[in-house]
Amino acid sequence: MTATLDDPLKAARRAVHAGQFRDAWEELARQPDPARRSPEWYLLAALARSRLGEFGPSRAAALQARDAYRVLGDVDGEMRAENVAAAGALALGALAEAERGFGRALELAERVSDELMMARCANNLGNVAFYLGDDGVALGYYRLAGARFGRVGHRHGLAETLINTGLVWRDLDRLADSQEAAERALEVAEVIANRRLLAQALAMRGEALGLAGDLPLGRAQVQRALALARQQEDHLAEVEALRISGNLEREARSFERAEQLEREALALATALAHPWTVATVQRDLGELYQRAGRPSDAARAFEAAAAAYQQLGAQSRAERVRARVAGA
């Protein structure tokens, strides 16, 4: 992959748009000055590194891009960089910063009448609400995002919003609704041939099927999701597939295998420094230990999850998990 003299970032830009994030970052890393000092270089680097699970460097690059675009008076660039910086903050557990950033990006999107960015910001604000445990607020944002993505014909965004909606339904123990959202997301992901989204939707559908009683099919779906996530270097999707695999093994009362999978998920989530995922895996470990008749281990895992949620500012989630400590 090579760049042209008149447009040195062309190859990296194409790779990002094609979802080839490893190639994009390698191309960007090869660029000499002054290309490496341009705001677009920083923005493309932020996008690529975010998708590779490098959230700290992604956020830092996005903030540099945002500030550079702001100095240039480039509202469109500032808006896009603000959104990516906020996504990095969300991944790192800085929920208040993320909410401010997405709100600012939304203001800029409304100023330039960018309906697609308005949809993205609504989806991202839904993610903040979901992390905080405000499921009703999250669903409202996701409905708004889905409608806007539909209006502009952005199927990738629509699939992401459906997946996020399914996560809320799962949080509310509405498995049929979660499965329906996953199946709709699968249809869109298959049409646009996006393997990252396919992996996420398959994991969600597999969990819903397994928890509804069809463990063999659920396991098969999640194993396919895990393989796709690893092929795409989508480490968050990999953690999610491992976590869900552990949950399904728990349902099958294969407690030793379930613990192995959950521990693998926890190690990867910790390596990624993704606090939300660490908390969620700890919560599921608590559920596993409780089911396996290990009350002391369950209490420790639930307390670790509650502390992690508390640190994120997700007070309602921390309270929910602490209630489980008493019953562990």
Side-chain angles (χ1 to χ4, degrees):
M1 194 177 292
T2 58
T4 60
L5 292 176
D6 58 327
D7 187 1
L9 299 179
K10 182 177 180 180
R13 192 183 306 116
R14 283 181 171 175
V16 166
H17 291 163
Q20 298 165 347
F21 300 109
R22 177 64 61 188
D23 291 343
W25 173 239
E26 290 174 355
E27 178 65 27
L28 288 163
R30 284 195 291 267
Q31 292 298 313
D33 290 337
R36 290 176 66 97
R37 294 196 300 270
S38 70
E40 187 184 11
W41 187 94
Y42 284 116
L43 180 55
L44 291 170
L47 287 164
R49 301 191 79 174
S50 175
R51 293 297 190 175
L52 293 172
E54 300 171 8
F55 303 114
S58 170
R59 175 176 167 272
L63 289 172
Q64 286 181 282
R66 181 200 66 186
D67 293 345
Y69 280 126
R70 186 177 291 167
V71 168
L72 292 171
D74 185 336
V75 175
D76 181 73
E78 181 186 351
M79 170 188 72
R80 290 182 291 128
E82 188 78 79
N83 185 60
V84 178
L90 180 68
L92 294 168
L95 301 189
E97 178 186 336
E99 189 169 26
R100 286 194 302 272
F102 291 136
R104 172 62 178 161
L106 179 58
E107 290 175 9
L108 294 172
E110 290 170 343
R111 185 190 303 179
V112 297
S113 301
D114 188 325
E115 183 106 13
L116 177 56
M117 183 55 76
M118 289 184 218
R120 286 175 171 153
C121 291
N123 182 59
N124 289 332
L125 286 165
N127 292 342
V128 174
F130 176 62
Y131 276 29
L132 290 170
D134 297 331
D135 289 331
V137 174
L139 285 173
Y141 275 124
Y142 293 147
R143 290 189 191 102
L144 178 59
R148 284 176 167 166
F149 281 129
R151 279 200 296 272
V152 298
H154 196 269
R155 289 179 292 192
H156 185 286
L158 178 60
E160 285 187 340
T161 300
L162 286 167
I163 289 167
N164 291 336
T165 300
L167 290 173
V168 179
W169 290 136
R170 173 66 187 90
D171 198 47
L172 295 170
D173 290 324
R174 290 175 56 169
L175 293 181
D177 290 324
S178 181
Q179 182 177 337
E180 180 184 356
E183 288 173 350
R184 290 178 61 199
L186 270 174
E187 291 174 4
V188 179
E190 287 170 345
V191 168
I192 63 177
N194 188 298
R195 293 190 170 192
R196 284 174 171 265
L197 293 173
L198 191 61
Q200 294 170 39
L202 278 169
M204 183 188 301
R205 183 172 186 266
E207 181 177 37
L209 287 167
L211 295 179
D214 195 340
L215 280 170
L217 182 56
R219 282 168 164 160
Q221 298 266 291
V222 179
Q223 284 305 304
R224 187 181 169 204
L226 180 59
L228 283 169
R230 285 172 170 165
Q231 287 170 12
Q232 299 300 305
E233 290 190 83
D234 188 338
H235 299 304
L236 284 180
E238 182 180 354
V239 173
E240 186 71 355
L242 287 167
R243 182 185 70 81
I244 291 172
S245 290
N247 289 347
L248 296 187
E249 293 303 321
R250 179 195 70 208
E251 294 303 304
R253 301 191 67 78
S254 300
F255 297 135
E256 185 175 343
R257 176 59 177 158
E259 182 177 16
Q260 179 185 349
L261 288 162
E262 298 288 2
R263 286 290 176 190
E264 190 175 346
L266 182 60
L268 182 52
T270 302
L272 290 171
H274 197 270
W276 161 263
T277 307
V278 169
T280 303
V281 177
Q282 288 280 21
R283 180 202 65 196
D284 286 0
L285 271 168
E287 178 69 29
L288 166 63
Y289 292 140
Q290 191 171 59
R291 191 80 63 87
R294 296 165 59 179
S296 297
D297 290 333
R300 280 192 291 271
F302 283 140
E303 185 54 50
Y309 283 134
Q310 185 80 46
Q311 188 173 3
L312 283 166
Q315 181 65 32
S316 65
R317 290 194 180 279
E319 289 173 358
R320 276 188 244 169
V321 176
R322 285 211 167 93
R324 303 296 304 277
V325 176

